[in-house]
Amino acid sequence: SCNLVFLSARPHLYKELTEQKSYRRFRKFVRDGLLHKMPTLLPGRLWPGTKAFLLSPFMKSSAWRWVGDLKFQSFRSYSQIYPEYDYVFIGDNGQGDLYASEL
């Protein structure tokens, strides 16, 4: 089991291309002693991220609301699998984290 879960805006694509970059970094952190075990990664979806990227010049940060909604839905689904755990959400101000934390 893992006690660290990342919610990503990056979508799951062909042969897990986007996840591979994150997992390479995670493996390095574990190898260097910066993480005690491999975390879990919950990927985003292609359309909400693409839509936010394309609309962000016009809608600014509110274009990422869809991504934040998806991140929250992913978190909710994951937390329902493990209801015995407590969760702490830590995010930054990009890719829908603020919106996800407000839901």
Side-chain angles (χ1 to χ4, degrees):
S1 75
C2 179
N3 61 3
L4 184 60
V5 179
F6 287 93
L7 294 167
S8 178
R10 292 186 185 129
H12 174 78
L13 295 175
Y14 179 73
K15 293 191 177 182
E16 302 172 352
L17 292 175
T18 56
E19 290 102 327
Q20 287 178 12
K21 180 179 177 180
S22 295
Y23 278 111
R24 274 195 300 271
R25 184 172 289 149
F26 296 159
R27 280 191 290 279
K28 181 182 181 332
F29 289 162
V30 171
R31 190 174 49 248
D32 293 347
L34 299 172
L35 292 174
H36 70 283
K37 62 185 343 185
M38 284 292 285
T40 298
L41 177 67
L42 303 178
R45 293 201 183 117
L46 182 59
W47 177 238
T50 302
K51 182 166 62 171
F53 177 76
L54 293 173
L55 293 176
S56 61
F58 310 103
M59 297 178 65
K60 307 297 182 215
S61 64
S62 65
W64 293 95
R65 183 173 300 278
W66 296 287
V67 175
D69 289 342
L70 177 63
K71 282 185 174 185
F72 180 75
Q73 291 169 16
S74 294
F75 164 74
R76 176 170 259 161
S77 295
Y78 184 84
S79 66
Q80 288 174 350
I81 296 170
Y82 302 103
E84 67 275 17
Y85 291 108
D86 295 319
Y87 297 90
V88 175
F89 184 88
I90 300 172
D92 57 21
N93 63 346
Q95 298 183 330
D97 290 356
L98 178 61
Y99 293 114
S101 71
E102 291 175 337
L103 296 174

